[in-house]
Amino acid sequence: MSESDFEAPPIGPDAAGEGAPPGPPPPPENRHDEDDRLKSEFVSEVVDRLHGGDIDGVRSLVEPMHAADIADLFELVGRDDRPPLAAALAGLIDGDVLAEMNDWVRDELIDELSATQVAEIAGELETDDAVAIIEDMEEADQRAVLRALDPDDRAAIEEALSYPEESAGRLMRRDAVAVPEHWTIGQVIDFLRAGEEITTDFWEVFVVDPAHRPVGTCLLSWILRTPRRIAIADVMKREQTLIPVDMDQEEVALRFQKYALISAAVVDQAGRLVGMITADDVVHIIQEEASEDILRLSGAGEDDINEPLPQTVRRRLTWLIVNLGTAVIAAAVVGLFQGTISHLVALAVLMPIVSGMGGNAGTQTMAVAVRALALNQLTSSNSIRVFVREFRIALVNGACLGLLLGIAVSLIFRSTDLGIVIALAMVINNLVAGIFGVLVPVTLEKLRVDPAVSSAVFVTMATDVMGFFSFLGLATLWGLGG
Amino acid sequence: MSESDFEAPPIGPDAAGEGAPPGPPPPPENRHDEDDRLKSEFVSEVVDRLHGGDIDGVRSLVEPMHAADIADLFELVGRDDRPPLAAALAGLIDGDVLAEMNDWVRDELIDELSATQVAEIAGELETDDAVAIIEDMEEADQRAVLRALDPDDRAAIEEALSYPEESAGRLMRRDAVAVPEHWTIGQVIDFLRAGEEITTDFWEVFVVDPAHRPVGTCLLSWILRTPRRIAIADVMKREQTLIPVDMDQEEVALRFQKYALISAAVVDQAGRLVGMITADDVVHIIQEEASEDILRLSGAGEDDINEPLPQTVRRRLTWLIVNLGTAVIAAAVVGLFQGTISHLVALAVLMPIVSGMGGNAGTQTMAVAVRALALNQLTSSNSIRVFVREFRIALVNGACLGLLLGIAVSLIFRSTDLGIVIALAMVINNLVAGIFGVLVPVTLEKLRVDPAVSSAVFVTMATDVMGFFSFLGLATLWGLGG
């Protein structure tokens, strides 16, 4: 392993950390903690050397690192330290490092580079990684980089950029290996061995007809396990999962997961092979999409700890103002019952319990429904069944919680009437939570709105409004405030 | 493609759906909607034929389907239809279908099968898939199946089961292909072609030393692109990402993502090669783990729409009762200020706004922190920076929302004092939300508690309690209730 080739770097005059005597850097196997993250001691060591102007010391620490770890290092140091770190590591930051880097951190770094430098880095990369770097740049910068690329790379990247964002066309590599159907295994092997233009890392060979439409696929392991004289048509698998070039990346990811794919052919509208997508890119997408849903459900949108502050504030504030609107509506419902409350202040004490518990139950149901929708588990075939299921859960939970709270309130406030009212309100609000928790995401999905983005605001509004209304309304009817 | 070989099946006497004339089944390309889910028309067609006793009709509809789609079909039909569907499809439900099936649906189905039948199915599968099926069975059933397996399979599965749940050892395939370092590419190719025992689907060959410890790895595409006389040691990559056999599957998934792996060697404590993990299994894990976090954050735990009702109720109810405890604490805080409220009922009307908005802001911050922790983005190197960032966001958002609400309240309630009090309370509660939104998940992570599971309850408690306390407390100090 290269790590054993690691040598202690020369120690600069200011390289020592707080109070630590100058000495060799920690051995590289100590860079990571048990969870595979860079240790904070290692990060501070790098930062200390950087601040001390010990460029050689920084480089010798970073040089043996994997591209993904160098990318992590940039995310972990402070924002102000990133440009000097990039300067210190000139030559070590290649396309692989940029491809692994958090989008926000990368954009900042790329702003510091010239178009020629970016073009040089993009030129080294596979099309999909180069596109990932270039697609986020501003129009003018993008054009400058494209001009600086060599014509072949430029054509490939421009074509990729012509597909919609987050589509298979952006995600794919264009260097899929294709062979004609009439070849033998021997011919395929000779072609692979001789072909100058063939990419180095691939997992299957696509068999195509004369119009370049895929007719089958052959894993490299099958080729290696078969005698040379056999025809590839006899070895290949004819059924294969084809990815349309304009398919959304989330659907691509679900298809990879569903059919347990390692790589898959991408075809254009005429059914011609135009590229391939590999599982390593999909792993990224799945992680991204699934964790985006967590953020969306909570109203934090596409938030990321590396995003610039003003953008984060704007997005979160917009969402909070929408929520403020629904909170005001809920408060207005309370306002309807001021008379009742002024006669029995205990109602004001107890009402947040009813609304809050409805909110909790609604959030549970909603999260289950949003996840089932995202995984294609919840479809029109079973939505009624799922609805009934959640209704029954809500009934049982509401009855249990209502009973518990009703008895406690009866004892503490010495009022059976108040106990009965809060128990009934709890049952009603749990049913509201169960109904809206399924109905809202399913309806939004039908309307082609992302259920993860806006379900919470509707569900919480329903449980707040109905929590206050049922509790205070029942109390008024029962004559508790009279 | 096999789909074009599809033929219209014989139509049974009772095969017609509601009012539809009997006719050939819908062509198979119409089975899926645009999102790759089975259409509800197709599912009802299957169910109608099943209810009509038209077993041949059911089989002819299902026969051309991919294993993953057959698994989906089982999830989409009602629970009562599953055993008769399984009976109708005897022979078509192989290990691949079971491996693709939702855990809950599979467990139900397996309960219907004899140990010998399960053993027969498990015997066809790769170790990792067989283990996935067997590990969820009850102790006694598991033993019965293991006894019915042939000795080789049994040994492999028993060894896999000896590793901790959700570890690399459970996830790995044991049939990794290994060759000695001194071989040439030609020798490797001859070995692959001749070896009877070699698995068919693999993506890299591991080069091992005499003690069976990996010293390098060689993608099959490199082998195919290299002349036979070259030594494999000159082609292989010496740095490779090794997975310890006891590593948690979530860490395995992060490592695959970080280093963009397609497959990786698994090593035991002595560093010997014991198996390999491939990206298709990891895709599954990532989806699972990421979507579990959504459910955990919302207090729904490991919920799934296919889980039996009593288990779901028990888990959700437990969580709701914990939340009931915190709601009572928050209500008790309101109880401290009953005197103030009875003098100014408007406070009861407005107080849910302050607590609710704090809850929303806290949830945003918490979701961002939980995601960053799960992605290894947030470590001890940058936790203070992230904390400061969230504090600043909270300050700006709190000030904006406070100003907005303060002005509105001053105008509507014709009381500048009330406006000032609610504005101040909003700022305070937003800061509480920002502080607890980061502090709670980071502290839980440090204590080795999953932050996704229990962050919400603490954060919401903090924003509820502090929302009521700051608003009602300030109002009392300000003399609003006097």
Side-chain angles (χ1 to χ4, degrees):
Chain A
M1 286 197 227
S2 76
E3 302 207 338
S4 55
D5 302 336
F6 185 86
E7 282 170 38
I11 301 296
D14 303 303
E18 313 97 307
E29 61 269 28
N30 282 344
R31 275 199 301 265
H32 295 98
D33 66 10
E34 72 276 31
D35 282 341
D36 226 14
R37 301 171 299 205
L38 289 176
K39 280 189 184 170
S40 67
E41 294 82 18
F42 178 79
V43 177
S44 347
E45 175 81 24
V46 172
V47 172
D48 287 342
R49 292 189 186 195
L50 188 67
H51 289 173
D54 176 17
I55 304 302
D56 287 343
V58 172
R59 290 182 70 91
S60 64
L61 277 179
V62 173
E63 208 150 9
M65 289 166 72
H66 187 283
D69 285 317
I70 301 182
D72 280 357
L73 178 65
F74 270 93
E75 295 174 32
L76 291 175
V77 305
R79 246 178 115 178
D80 298 337
D81 288 329
R82 288 173 196 159
L85 182 62
L89 297 180
L92 292 179
I93 306 176
D94 56 10
D96 288 330
V97 174
L98 286 181
E100 293 289 341
M101 208 173 276
N102 177 284
D103 289 358
W104 298 106
V105 178
R106 184 176 61 211
D107 289 352
E108 271 175 32
L109 207 62
I110 284 183
D111 285 344
E112 309 265 322
L113 300 176
S114 72
T116 328
Q117 284 174 305
V118 177
E120 206 169 282
I121 290 172
E124 298 164 12
L125 290 172
E126 282 165 6
T127 326
D128 57 335
D129 289 331
V131 167
I133 291 178
I134 293 175
E135 68 184 352
D136 291 333
M137 300 178 77
E138 287 181 22
E139 198 71 28
D141 295 338
Q142 212 177 68
R143 270 199 303 273
V145 171
L146 286 171
R147 266 197 307 273
L149 276 169
D150 81 55
D152 279 357
D153 289 340
R154 188 195 312 156
I157 290 173
E158 277 178 342
E159 201 198 307
L161 289 174
S162 73
Y163 297 113
E165 265 186 70
E166 310 215 321
S167 70
R170 293 271 178 119
L171 204 59
M172 73 184 180
R173 289 166 50 181
R174 297 161 47 83
D175 49 10
V177 178
V179 299
E181 203 173 354
H182 59 80
W183 279 9
T184 63
I185 291 292
Q187 282 175 296
V188 173
I189 292 180
D190 294 341
F191 166 72
L192 293 178
R193 214 172 264 157
E196 287 285 308
E197 294 280 286
I198 294 175
T199 180
T200 50
D201 293 9
F202 56 100
W203 293 270
E204 58 187 322
V205 165
F206 300 103
V207 183
V208 293
D209 69 10
H212 216 71
R213 287 185 299 246
V215 294
T217 175
C218 195
L219 289 193
L220 299 188
S221 57
W222 304 345
I223 294 177
L224 280 165
R225 302 268 292 126
T226 307
R228 288 180 62 96
R229 66 176 185 282
I230 308 283
I232 192 157
D234 294 338
V235 184
M236 71 185 188
K237 195 174 65 170
R238 287 182 188 275
E239 302 115 63
Q240 65 178 313
T241 307
L242 300 174
I243 308 283
V245 73
D246 55 358
M247 186 179 237
D248 182 80
Q249 63 175 19
E250 194 167 1
E251 291 300 319
V252 174
L254 282 174
R255 205 168 263 203
F256 263 73
Q257 190 199 348
K258 180 167 177 182
Y259 299 117
L261 304 174
I262 290 292
S263 65
V266 180
V267 292
D268 65 12
Q269 255 139 26
R272 282 184 305 255
L273 179 72
V274 290
M276 66 171 169
I277 293 179
T278 50
D280 52 335
D281 296 314
V282 170
V283 164
H284 231 82
I285 303 298
I286 292 181
Q287 181 75 63
E288 236 173 56
E289 297 277 347
S291 68
E292 269 176 26
D293 278 355
I294 296 189
L295 296 177
R296 286 183 188 143
L297 262 183
S298 70
E302 326 252 289
D303 212 325
D304 182 284
I305 56 169
N306 294 298
E307 191 187 23
L309 216 67
Q311 264 164 278
T312 308
V313 168
R314 205 174 320 132
R315 188 153 21 70
R316 287 205 210 166
L317 194 54
T318 312
W319 185 251
L320 289 175
I321 288 173
V322 172
N323 277 297
L324 185 58
T326 68
V328 167
I329 295 174
V333 172
V334 178
L336 297 176
F337 300 98
Q338 290 192 59
T340 314
I341 294 174
S342 69
H343 284 100
L344 186 62
V345 180
L347 296 177
V349 175
L350 294 172
M351 69 183 192
I353 300 183
V354 179
S355 64
M357 290 306 293
N360 291 328
T363 305
Q364 288 181 339
T365 304
M366 179 185 71
V368 172
V370 166
R371 169 173 173 272
L373 286 168
L375 297 182
N376 279 350
Q377 269 192 346
L378 176 53
T379 77
S380 49
S381 313
N382 60 354
S383 50
I384 291 174
R385 184 150 37 90
V386 171
F387 183 80
V388 171
R389 177 177 186 271
E390 289 298 329
F391 191 86
R392 290 168 62 190
I393 295 173
L395 200 62
V396 177
N397 283 351
C400 291
L401 292 170
L403 199 67
L404 203 65
L405 190 62
I407 292 173
V409 165
S410 301
L411 295 176
I412 294 170
F413 291 85
R414 294 169 199 281
S415 159
T416 323
D417 288 342
L418 189 56
I420 293 173
V421 164
I422 203 167
L424 287 176
M426 282 292 273
V427 175
I428 294 174
N429 209 25
N430 262 279
L431 290 178
V432 168
I435 293 169
F436 280 78
V438 179
L439 222 54
V440 168
V442 168
T443 309
L444 291 173
E445 168 95 355
K446 275 237 187 322
L447 300 174
R448 301 248 147 222
V449 178
D450 183 348
V453 176
S454 31
S455 291
V457 68
F458 293 111
V459 173
T460 312
M461 185 167 79
T463 53
D464 274 359
V465 166
M466 284 306 299
F468 293 137
F469 190 78
S470 61
F471 180 54
L472 297 176
L474 281 173
T476 308
L477 284 178
W478 213 271
L480 284 180
Chain B
M1 287 195 226
S2 77
E3 302 208 339
S4 56
D5 301 336
F6 185 89
E7 283 170 37
I11 303 293
D14 302 303
E18 315 94 308
E29 62 269 26
N30 283 344
R31 275 198 302 264
H32 294 101
D33 66 11
E34 72 276 32
D35 282 342
D36 225 17
R37 300 172 297 204
L38 289 176
K39 280 190 182 169
S40 66
E41 295 82 17
F42 178 81
V43 177
S44 345
E45 176 80 23
V46 172
V47 173
D48 288 343
R49 292 189 185 194
L50 188 66
H51 289 174
D54 176 16
I55 303 301
D56 287 342
V58 172
R59 291 182 68 92
S60 64
L61 279 178
V62 174
E63 208 150 7
M65 289 166 72
H66 187 282
D69 285 316
I70 301 182
D72 280 357
L73 178 65
F74 270 92
E75 296 174 31
L76 291 175
V77 305
R79 245 178 115 177
D80 298 338
D81 289 329
R82 288 173 196 159
L85 182 61
L89 297 179
L92 292 179
I93 305 176
D94 56 11
D96 288 331
V97 174
L98 286 182
E100 293 289 340
M101 209 173 274
N102 177 285
D103 289 358
W104 298 106
V105 178
R106 184 176 62 211
D107 288 353
E108 271 175 31
L109 208 62
I110 284 183
D111 285 346
E112 309 265 322
L113 301 176
S114 71
T116 328
Q117 284 172 304
V118 177
E120 207 169 281
I121 290 172
E124 299 165 11
L125 291 172
E126 281 166 6
T127 327
D128 56 336
D129 290 330
V131 167
I133 292 178
I134 294 175
E135 67 184 353
D136 292 333
M137 300 179 75
E138 287 180 24
E139 197 70 26
D141 296 339
Q142 213 178 67
R143 268 198 305 272
V145 171
L146 285 171
R147 264 197 308 272
L149 276 168
D150 80 55
D152 279 357
D153 290 338
R154 188 196 311 156
I157 291 173
E158 277 177 343
E159 199 197 309
L161 288 174
S162 74
Y163 297 114
E165 266 187 69
E166 310 215 322
S167 71
R170 293 271 177 119
L171 204 60
M172 74 184 180
R173 288 166 51 183
R174 297 160 47 83
D175 48 11
V177 178
V179 299
E181 203 173 352
H182 59 81
W183 278 10
T184 64
I185 292 292
Q187 281 175 296
V188 173
I189 292 180
D190 294 341
F191 167 72
L192 293 178
R193 214 172 263 157
E196 288 285 310
E197 294 279 286
I198 294 174
T199 181
T200 50
D201 295 8
F202 56 100
W203 293 270
E204 60 186 321
V205 165
F206 301 103
V207 183
V208 293
D209 70 10
H212 217 68
R213 287 185 298 244
V215 294
T217 174
C218 195
L219 290 192
L220 298 188
S221 57
W222 305 345
I223 293 177
L224 280 164
R225 304 267 291 124
T226 306
R228 288 180 62 95
R229 65 174 185 285
I230 307 283
I232 192 155
D234 294 338
V235 184
M236 71 185 189
K237 194 175 65 169
R238 286 181 188 273
E239 301 114 65
Q240 66 177 313
T241 306
L242 300 174
I243 309 283
V245 73
D246 54 358
M247 185 179 237
D248 183 80
Q249 62 175 19
E250 194 167 0
E251 291 299 320
V252 174
L254 282 173
R255 204 169 262 201
F256 263 72
Q257 190 199 349
K258 180 168 178 181
Y259 299 116
L261 303 174
I262 290 292
S263 65
V266 180
V267 291
D268 65 12
Q269 255 139 26
R272 283 183 305 254
L273 180 71
V274 289
M276 67 173 170
I277 293 178
T278 51
D280 53 335
D281 295 315
V282 170
V283 163
H284 231 83
I285 303 298
I286 292 180
Q287 182 74 64
E288 236 173 56
E289 295 278 347
S291 67
E292 270 175 26
D293 278 354
I294 297 188
L295 296 178
R296 287 184 187 142
L297 262 182
S298 71
E302 326 252 288
D303 213 325
D304 182 284
I305 56 169
N306 294 299
E307 190 186 24
L309 216 66
Q311 264 164 278
T312 308
V313 168
R314 205 174 320 132
R315 187 152 20 70
R316 288 206 210 164
L317 194 55
T318 311
W319 185 250
L320 288 174
I321 288 173
V322 172
N323 277 297
L324 185 58
T326 68
V328 167
I329 294 174
V333 172
V334 178
L336 297 176
F337 300 98
Q338 290 192 59
T340 313
I341 294 175
S342 69
H343 284 102
L344 185 63
V345 179
L347 295 177
V349 174
L350 294 171
M351 68 183 193
I353 301 183
V354 179
S355 64
M357 292 305 293
N360 290 327
T363 305
Q364 288 181 337
T365 304
M366 179 183 70
V368 171
V370 166
R371 170 173 172 272
L373 286 169
L375 298 182
N376 279 349
Q377 271 191 345
L378 176 53
T379 75
S380 49
S381 312
N382 60 354
S383 50
I384 291 175
R385 183 148 40 90
V386 171
F387 184 81
V388 171
R389 177 176 186 272
E390 290 298 329
F391 191 86
R392 290 168 62 189
I393 295 173
L395 200 61
V396 177
N397 284 351
C400 291
L401 292 169
L403 199 67
L404 203 65
L405 190 62
I407 292 173
V409 165
S410 301
L411 295 176
I412 294 171
F413 291 84
R414 295 169 199 280
S415 159
T416 323
D417 287 342
L418 190 55
I420 293 173
V421 164
I422 203 167
L424 286 177
M426 282 291 274
V427 175
I428 293 174
N429 209 23
N430 261 279
L431 290 179
V432 168
I435 292 169
F436 280 78
V438 179
L439 221 54
V440 168
V442 168
T443 308
L444 290 173
E445 168 95 356
K446 275 236 188 317
L447 299 174
R448 300 250 147 219
V449 178
D450 184 347
V453 176
S454 30
S455 291
V457 67
F458 292 110
V459 173
T460 312
M461 185 167 78
T463 54
D464 274 358
V465 166
M466 284 306 299
F468 293 137
F469 189 78
S470 60
F471 180 55
L472 298 175
L474 281 172
T476 308
L477 284 178
W478 212 270
L480 284 179

